[in-house]
Amino acid sequence: MTPIHRCRLAFQTRAFPPCPAPRPCKGEPRSANQRLGAGPRTESAPKWALSGPPALRGRRCSESRSHPEGRRGVAGRRRRRRHGAARRGLEPRRTHREPPGAGGEKPAGRGQGRRGAQAAAQGLLGAEVRAGRREPCALSLAQRGGRYGVVIRSQERDNSELDFIPINSRFKCVQEAEETLLIDIATNTGCKIRIQGDKTAERLFEIPDEEHCLGFLSEVQSIQEAQLKDSLPEHKDSASWHQMEKNLPGLLQASSPGALGFEDDFNALSLEKKRNMQNHQAGSRRDPPPPPVPPSRQFHREREGTSRDQPKVTNTMRKMFLPSTQSGQREGLIKHVLAKREKEYVNLENFRFFVGTWNVNGQSPDSGLEPWLACDTEPPDFYCIGFQELDLSTEAFFYFDSAKEQEWLVAVERSLHPQAKYKKVQMVRLVGMMLLVFARKDQLSNIREVMSESVGTGIIGKMGNKGGVAVRFVFHNTTFCIVNSHLAAHVEDFERRNQDYKDICARMSFVTPDGTLPQHNIMKHDVVIWLGDLNYRLCIPDANEVKSLISKNELQKLLTYDQLNIQRIHKKAFADFIEGEIKFIPTYKYDSKTDRWDSSGKCRVPAWCDRILWRGGNINQLHYRSHMDLKTSDHKPVSALFHIGVKVVDEQRYRKVFEDIVRMMDRMENDFLPSLELSRREFHFENVKFRQLQKQKFQITNNGQVPCHFSFIPKLSDKQYCKPWLRAEPCDGYLEPNESVDISLDVYVSKDSVTLLNSGEDKIEDILVLHLDRGKDYFLTISGSYLPSCFGTSLEALCRMRQPIREVPVTKLIDLGEDSFLEKEKSVLQIGFLNSEDASEMPLQMPKEIWLLVDHLYKHACHQEDLFQTPGMQEELQQIIDCLDTSIPETIPGSNHSVAEALLIFLEALPEPVICYELYQRCLDCSHDSRLCRQVISQLPRCHRSVFRYLISFLRELLKYSEDNNVSATMIANLFTSLLLRPPPNLMAKQTQQDRQRAINFLYGFLLAGDEE
């Protein structure tokens, strides 16, 4: 009897008695006040801001920082801060000692008192804020070549060179104004200082010791005053407009006379105005990325200025502003206004874009592609060419290299229009989908910010047999996104195609590895062109009827039955896209190498599977056609030719608008502070479930008199602004006065967050900080209840549950989570349970959930075509998850494909894979020897060993019907290796292709071996 039959018999004859009474709690939790300490509240902070919900345990929020001095100490510090500010700016020190002798680099300690000298000589400990991250560092004063300067020593980068910023007339070092901390709490806020040198961008530092910081600033001020007495301020020469354009942050400072035709005398300003102007000199805040991958944000509060464009504004002005991680809010506001007024300085120029798509059915090119790519007399400026089913081999299916890629790339390059010279801009491939972008060589200098991305929508949302690849770029000042997709097949699966489209839109985002550019999704581009084998069919089952209508040229009648047109009308997919009029016959399906319709036994109904759509303005389609001369594949290639109006900047007009905006900014500055009104501040999400999205919306309104920039920012101890299961959309943006925007708060528990929620280590509790530049922070309370799931729970814990997980008390779940490690250790050491344990408390051999899923597939799906290769339906997957969490069902709901994907999701969500992390390397090392492989499996904990053998027995059974289900041992080994034999998290990024192949060989050996006892 094989293991699969033994396990089936065991589960069929075993009853599941009620769960024993829950254990008592191990300790009463302390109250929130005990955890965080009580303190006075203000109107700006909600009740929990100081007493704190669990979401704030161990966190330092901007409004809650403890300090032993209490209220009296804060008052004293504020008096000292005012006196220090007076010393630094309003009443310059008149006593001045000569610095030590010149030469070398010597510590500087001046007569500001013992603390100031100590800070200057020994170094001021703190952290530098870089793109939202804090890097520990030390600041000190030193002498180099007879000149004083600030020395910055990083404590993270070993053996790094010291940064030396000379103190001269253009050196600026200011403390951020205390008015930015609008919440008045008895806490020690420390100091934030900004330092900028002659040739150094502004840098932000956070110093926890306020007294040392004030002494350091006083010493710097003394040195600078002494140097100012000896020489007049130095001014930069006016540069050409071209040079100024490439150094925008310098222009925005407006600190040198005559830079833009007006003067700012920095030294004549009051201390407060100096601070305000300095706070404007930080760099531009980048566009926010789409959730669920929020970016790290700069966590400092500015005194003045706002940031950049609202979501409605395009990225037209990116060319005018070079990337800078330290640019400021003043620059951001200028960008925002420039983008709003772009019509005043841009001209539209038309360029020709050739767009083509072809499903090549795994074939190699057997003829020239000129009838497709060079069919027009005038050469295009751009080629955007997409292929599908480039390679149908198993190796390509699992992300290996494909020789077909180079074959088709060479064929395309040879067939481009002969009257122009082209260069490849970008190429991206995912399995059989490949996208090529070529541009004329004379246009390459106008192309920038080129990025590519891919999204697989195959089984468990990973496999790349279906999905999309995309390239985005900026041409002149218009942003483009080209998407090539291959959506789900089969006539009846139009809902899967709709889901594939939505998944690609939701998951496709473009990010540079170094994070120097903002993150973009598909729809945040001026022009989007979507091409590919979209696989939408005709809702007419009779192929002969369709062929008859085609022969009569009644194409418009046929198009009324086209699934894509129907789904667009009902706004289920591609609702915002436009498609040109179709005047060519269907491009699918033909007998390969011929123009005959499909004559195989399946006799596919002809359909327009291959399509090209677009969205955006200033787009005119000149041609939309198929190319019947190419007969390599069972599809015909399709092409479209566009005239696209591209925004090109007129430099003189741009300069005029730019100077006008800068003057307007000078008049507006310091007159108004921004303000927001929120419709809600508390949100409760009831009965949150695994993989089930919940949304709540609220509205924010700019009730101030100036444009404002809002953003969700991390709390001090966090890297992200929210927990992994939460996101806000949009997470930042711009609002004009009296303008409103709806913000959606989305709660979605994925495999990455489900384990902590199941175990009770995390809860649906969080606090979001909505930051308003130049204004105060607003706090949003997120709370809710979570329903535990067997998905994401350890095998050991599930084996000790004889009831569905929803019927197990929460305290018992916590105990099971704590006991699972001990249970695993017992099993590995082959230690039996104590004799006193009741037989009813003996753990199951394997989780009942795995047995139910596998048993269903064994009974109903062995002959299912394309099993484990076709995604399930999302609605059915949710039904299956709920069913397993709430009951022990007789039958599993949903289709075989949905049950199969549910099994894969279950294995993927396990916190510890079936083959434990500690045995991963041993599995790789012994993958060449089947005897050693069996020995490793015998050392697994009991429930892991049982699950592995049960799954292998089922998969062997499945392979016996490979002619029906199209399942192969290679495909199964590739798919299940990533689930059963995962590398430990610390080795995931280091896994080589050789390691992956050895892991596949390990599992492949078990699939081909005979049944074991």
Side-chain angles (χ1 to χ4, degrees):
M1 183 182 296
T2 65
I4 188 168
H5 292 99
R6 286 201 301 271
C7 288
R8 287 185 63 207
L9 181 62
F11 272 88
Q12 288 166 354
T13 57
R14 176 171 291 184
F16 299 106
C19 190
R23 301 180 188 176
C25 295
K26 295 188 178 180
E28 288 296 322
R30 292 179 298 165
S31 69
N33 286 336
Q34 290 172 324
R35 283 194 301 271
L36 294 178
R41 288 188 285 107
T42 69
E43 293 183 1
S44 300
K47 294 180 181 179
W48 43 261
L50 298 173
S51 59
L56 274 182
R57 296 173 195 173
R59 300 167 185 255
R60 290 178 61 216
C61 282
S62 58
E63 78 280 16
S64 179
R65 305 179 193 177
S66 60
H67 194 280
E69 294 180 13
R71 203 72 176 166
R72 186 183 308 168
V74 172
R77 283 199 309 279
R78 285 181 175 155
R79 286 193 297 273
R80 289 193 297 273
R81 185 183 299 170
R82 286 194 293 271
H83 297 328
R87 288 199 304 270
R88 290 193 301 277
L90 301 179
E91 298 177 6
R93 296 172 53 134
R94 302 189 181 279
T95 60
H96 174 65
R97 292 187 297 168
E98 287 299 323
E105 187 172 296
K106 304 178 183 179
R110 307 190 65 83
Q112 80 281 12
R114 188 169 54 193
R115 286 188 180 273
Q118 181 180 354
Q122 297 182 357
L124 193 64
L125 298 180
E128 180 175 7
V129 179
R130 287 177 177 267
R133 296 183 302 173
R134 290 167 177 77
E135 297 183 3
C137 66
L139 306 181
S140 59
L141 297 176
Q143 212 177 9
R144 179 181 292 178
R147 303 175 65 189
Y148 280 97
V150 175
V151 176
I152 304 170
R153 181 193 302 271
S154 173
Q155 297 180 356
E156 281 191 347
R157 299 190 294 272
D158 296 335
N159 302 322
S160 62
E161 294 185 4
L162 302 180
D163 292 338
F164 183 82
I165 304 178
I167 299 177
N168 54 26
S169 60
R170 289 188 295 275
F171 174 85
K172 301 178 182 66
C173 179
V174 295
Q175 178 188 0
E176 193 163 290
E178 67 175 306
E179 286 82 2
T180 58
L181 302 174
L182 299 177
I183 301 174
D184 187 18
I185 298 178
T187 57
N188 175 20
T189 61
C191 285
K192 294 181 182 180
I193 60 175
R194 298 180 179 275
I195 297 177
Q196 182 175 9
D198 186 7
K199 299 180 180 179
T200 308
E202 186 181 77
R203 300 167 71 170
L204 173 66
F205 299 89
E206 293 182 351
I207 310 300
D209 191 325
E210 185 177 16
E211 292 192 17
H212 280 80
C213 180
L214 295 177
F216 180 85
L217 291 172
S218 179
E219 184 70 10
V220 170
Q221 184 74 16
S222 297
I223 295 174
Q224 194 170 21
E225 288 171 358
Q227 293 187 354
L228 286 173
K229 293 177 182 178
D230 300 331
S231 62
L232 292 174
E234 303 172 15
H235 298 303
K236 294 180 183 178
D237 295 333
S238 296
S240 68
W241 173 248
H242 178 72
Q243 292 170 329
M244 288 191 289
E245 177 185 322
K246 292 185 180 274
N247 191 18
L248 182 61
L251 288 174
L252 299 182
Q253 293 165 12
S255 59
S256 29
L260 290 172
F262 52 90
E263 297 186 4
D264 285 314
D265 186 356
F266 187 88
N267 296 309
L269 297 175
S270 67
L271 176 65
E272 185 64 24
K273 290 185 178 179
K274 287 182 183 179
R275 287 177 177 172
N276 291 339
M277 288 195 64
Q278 291 294 337
N279 289 338
H280 288 314
Q281 294 170 12
S284 70
R285 191 181 288 264
R286 295 295 176 191
D287 284 341
V293 190
S296 299
R297 295 199 173 277
Q298 228 170 307
F299 192 74
H300 60 270
R301 290 165 174 75
E302 305 287 19
R303 177 69 185 101
E304 289 292 338
T306 55
S307 288
R308 300 188 355 183
D309 39 312
Q310 58 188 342
K312 297 178 183 178
V313 180
T314 65
N315 296 315
T316 300
M317 298 317 302
R318 189 168 289 109
K319 177 187 177 213
M320 306 304 162
F321 305 82
L322 297 182
S324 170
T325 59
Q326 306 264 337
S327 38
Q329 295 174 6
R330 176 183 172 107
E331 176 185 342
L333 184 57
I334 291 178
K335 291 182 184 180
H336 173 66
V337 180
L338 277 170
K340 299 274 282 187
R341 296 176 57 178
E342 67 178 6
K343 291 183 180 180
E344 298 179 33
Y345 55 81
V346 298
N347 299 316
L348 285 179
E349 295 184 16
N350 285 325
F351 293 86
R352 294 168 65 89
F353 281 72
F354 178 97
V355 181
T357 177
W358 194 9
N359 182 321
V360 296
N361 193 31
Q363 304 297 313
S364 297
D366 56 4
S367 62
L369 306 181
E370 290 83 359
W372 177 33
L373 303 179
C375 56
D376 297 303
T377 56
E378 184 179 348
D381 297 291
F382 279 82
Y383 276 101
C384 306
I385 304 166
F387 293 98
Q388 306 84 40
E389 294 190 3
L390 193 80
D391 194 335
L392 299 178
S393 66
T394 302
E395 290 76 14
F397 182 77
F398 290 97
Y399 310 100
F400 293 107
D401 291 338
S402 169
K404 299 288 180 66
E405 174 183 304
Q406 188 63 25
E407 291 178 6
W408 282 100
L409 174 60
V410 171
V412 168
E413 290 177 333
R414 289 175 178 172
S415 304
L416 299 178
H417 204 289
Q419 295 181 20
K421 292 183 178 181
Y422 295 92
K423 185 174 179 59
K424 184 178 67 178
V425 174
Q426 187 65 290
M427 178 183 75
V428 57
R429 182 178 69 86
L430 175 65
V431 190
M433 293 170 287
M434 182 168 74
L435 178 60
L436 301 168
V437 177
F438 291 86
R440 293 178 64 145
K441 287 187 176 181
D442 57 359
Q443 297 295 342
L444 289 176
S445 61
N446 299 315
I447 302 171
R448 63 191 183 281
E449 298 179 22
V450 180
M451 288 179 270
S452 61
E453 191 54 80
S454 61
V455 168
T457 59
I459 192 76
I460 62 171
K462 281 187 173 180
M463 298 307 159
N465 56 321
K466 296 293 186 288
V469 293
V471 173
R472 64 91 53 189
F473 57 91
V474 182
F475 179 49
H476 283 287
N477 292 279
T478 298
T479 56
F480 287 82
C481 182
I482 315 298
V483 184
N484 171 27
S485 67
H486 190 190
L487 307 185
H490 305 303
V491 176
E492 67 278 6
D493 285 339
F494 61 90
E495 290 183 349
R496 278 201 178 95
R497 290 186 273 280
N498 296 346
Q499 186 62 50
D500 286 351
Y501 162 77
K502 294 174 184 176
D503 286 347
I504 294 170
C505 290
R507 293 166 50 199
M508 183 83 74
S509 61
F510 302 92
V511 187
T512 53
D514 56 3
T516 55
L517 292 175
Q519 201 170 22
H520 297 276
N521 61 26
I522 292 174
M523 301 307 174
K524 289 187 177 179
H525 290 83
D526 300 329
V527 175
V528 180
I529 299 176
W530 197 304
L531 58 109
D533 180 0
L534 306 186
N535 251 325
Y536 286 97
R537 311 299 176 87
L538 294 174
C539 297
I540 301 177
D542 188 350
N544 290 326
E545 180 183 353
V546 173
K547 293 173 186 177
S548 174
L549 291 171
I550 293 172
S551 65
K552 298 175 183 177
N553 200 30
E554 296 186 21
L555 301 184
Q556 296 309 310
K557 181 177 180 179
L558 272 181
L559 286 167
T560 60
Y561 296 94
D562 177 74
Q563 291 179 345
L564 177 56
N565 290 337
I566 295 171
Q567 298 306 304
R568 288 175 57 213
I569 291 171
H570 289 88
K571 299 189 182 301
K572 300 293 186 180
F574 297 96
D576 297 329
F577 283 81
I578 301 171
E579 185 180 21
E581 183 180 358
I582 295 179
K583 297 181 180 180
F584 52 89
I585 66 174
T587 55
Y588 173 84
K589 176 180 184 180
Y590 296 86
D591 291 338
S592 294
K593 315 296 183 182
T594 74
D595 289 331
R596 295 193 308 268
W597 297 113
D598 179 28
S599 61
S600 67
K602 295 182 178 179
C603 192
R604 302 287 191 186
V605 177
W608 285 280
C609 292
D610 311 284
R611 312 288 274 269
I612 298 171
L613 302 93
W614 74 90
R615 74 191 298 269
N618 307 309
I619 302 174
N620 180 29
Q621 189 180 71
L622 305 179
H623 299 290
Y624 192 23
R625 57 208 165 183
S626 66
H627 301 267
M628 301 297 293
D629 294 338
L630 295 177
K631 305 176 183 180
T632 307
S633 170
D634 57 353
H635 290 248
K636 298 298 181 183
V638 172
S639 72
L641 184 66
F642 296 97
H643 261 175
I644 299 180
V646 174
K647 290 174 280 191
V648 180
V649 168
D650 182 302
E651 299 292 344
Q652 291 184 348
R653 287 157 57 198
Y654 169 79
R655 180 178 181 178
K656 182 179 179 181
V657 172
F658 177 83
E659 293 179 358
D660 180 53
I661 292 172
V662 172
R663 292 190 181 96
M664 176 192 70
M665 287 277 297
D666 290 339
R667 292 192 298 267
M668 289 178 57
E669 265 180 2
N670 306 323
D671 291 341
F672 304 103
L673 287 176
S675 176
L676 283 180
E677 180 181 348
L678 281 66
S679 63
R680 294 176 61 187
R681 299 197 188 196
E682 296 184 359
F683 304 85
H684 186 78
F685 294 85
E686 192 70 32
N687 296 332
V688 175
K689 300 179 182 178
F690 176 60
R691 285 174 60 95
Q692 187 166 311
L693 177 66
Q694 287 195 32
K695 290 175 174 279
Q696 292 191 33
K697 291 186 177 182
F698 70 104
Q699 188 177 76
I700 61 174
T701 302
N702 181 353
N703 59 358
Q705 301 181 55
V706 292
C708 67
H709 175 259
F710 66 89
S711 61
F712 289 94
I713 58 175
K715 295 174 279 292
L716 278 179
S717 59
D718 295 345
K719 294 182 179 179
Q720 306 296 341
Y721 70 83
C722 65
K723 290 186 176 181
W725 42 261
L726 178 64
R727 69 181 183 184
E729 176 61 28
C731 57
D732 80 348
Y734 269 91
L735 287 176
E736 298 290 335
N738 300 318
E739 185 180 5
S740 300
V741 66
D742 289 331
I743 295 180
S744 174
L745 297 180
D746 302 346
V747 171
Y748 182 80
V749 178
S750 68
K751 64 180 180 64
D752 299 319
S753 52
V754 64
T755 299
L756 292 179
L757 288 166
N758 283 342
S759 65
E761 296 179 55
D762 193 10
K763 297 180 179 179
I764 305 297
E765 292 179 353
D766 202 0
I767 295 171
L768 297 185
V769 182
L770 180 61
H771 175 62
L772 185 61
D773 287 343
R774 300 187 304 137
K776 64 181 181 180
D777 290 341
Y778 301 84
F779 300 89
L780 309 180
T781 308
I782 312 299
S783 62
S785 60
Y786 173 72
L787 299 178
S789 175
C790 59
F791 288 71
T793 302
S794 69
L795 294 177
E796 288 80 9
L798 289 173
C799 284
R800 296 178 69 89
M801 296 181 200
R802 296 172 177 271
Q803 300 166 281
I805 192 170
R806 296 272 175 83
E807 297 180 13
V808 180
V810 175
T811 52
K812 180 67 174 177
L813 287 177
I814 296 174
D815 290 340
L816 288 175
E818 294 173 349
D819 293 343
S820 61
F821 177 77
L822 178 61
E823 174 67 22
K824 177 181 163 186
E825 292 298 309
K826 281 183 179 180
S827 183
V828 171
L829 297 174
Q830 304 297 320
I831 298 176
F833 286 89
L834 298 176
N835 294 331
S836 60
E837 285 201 43
D838 191 278
S840 63
E841 295 195 8
M842 288 287 289
L844 303 173
Q845 291 184 17
M846 74 176 68
K848 56 189 177 299
E849 293 82 6
I850 289 184
W851 181 84
L852 289 166
L853 291 169
V854 173
D855 189 62
H856 179 95
L857 294 172
Y858 176 73
K859 291 177 180 177
H860 304 288
C862 284
H863 298 273
Q864 179 67 56
E865 183 181 2
D866 293 335
L867 190 67
F868 291 118
Q869 299 167 68
T870 300
M873 298 297 296
Q874 294 303 314
E875 297 81 0
E876 294 178 353
L877 283 170
Q878 194 57 55
Q879 291 174 8
I880 294 169
I881 293 171
D882 286 341
C883 179
L884 294 176
D885 287 341
T886 58
S887 65
I888 304 175
E890 293 291 332
T891 59
I892 303 291
S895 67
N896 292 334
H897 292 305
S898 295
V899 177
E901 184 166 8
L903 174 62
L904 300 181
I905 293 172
F906 186 95
L907 297 173
E908 185 185 37
L910 286 174
E912 178 98 355
V914 174
I915 300 178
C916 302
Y917 286 135
E918 58 262 31
L919 294 178
Y920 170 76
Q921 191 59 47
R922 291 188 59 188
C923 291
L924 301 191
D925 295 340
C926 69
S927 59
H928 62 285
D929 189 323
S930 60
R931 181 182 60 84
L932 295 177
C933 293
R934 290 195 296 271
Q935 288 181 1
V936 174
I937 295 302
S938 67
Q939 295 172 10
L940 287 172
R942 185 181 61 174
C943 62
H944 288 252
R945 187 170 63 248
S946 298
V947 169
F948 179 82
R949 290 176 173 171
Y950 186 50
L951 288 171
I952 291 296
S953 296
F954 164 67
L955 295 175
R956 287 181 190 146
E957 192 73 17
L958 202 61
L959 290 172
K960 294 178 182 178
Y961 307 97
S962 57
E963 291 186 1
D964 297 329
N965 55 34
N966 294 332
V967 168
S968 67
T970 304
M971 187 275 288
I972 288 293
N974 275 275
L975 176 59
F976 277 83
T977 296
S978 63
L979 305 173
L980 303 181
L981 185 54
R982 303 199 301 260
N986 61 323
L987 298 179
M988 184 72 72
K990 301 178 182 178
Q991 187 186 33
T992 64
Q993 186 57 53
Q994 183 181 8
D995 291 341
R996 175 165 174 76
Q997 190 57 54
R998 287 196 293 166
I1000 292 171
N1001 293 340
F1002 178 89
L1003 196 65
Y1004 189 79
F1006 283 96
L1007 293 175
L1008 297 185
D1011 291 338
E1012 298 175 12
E1013 292 297 325

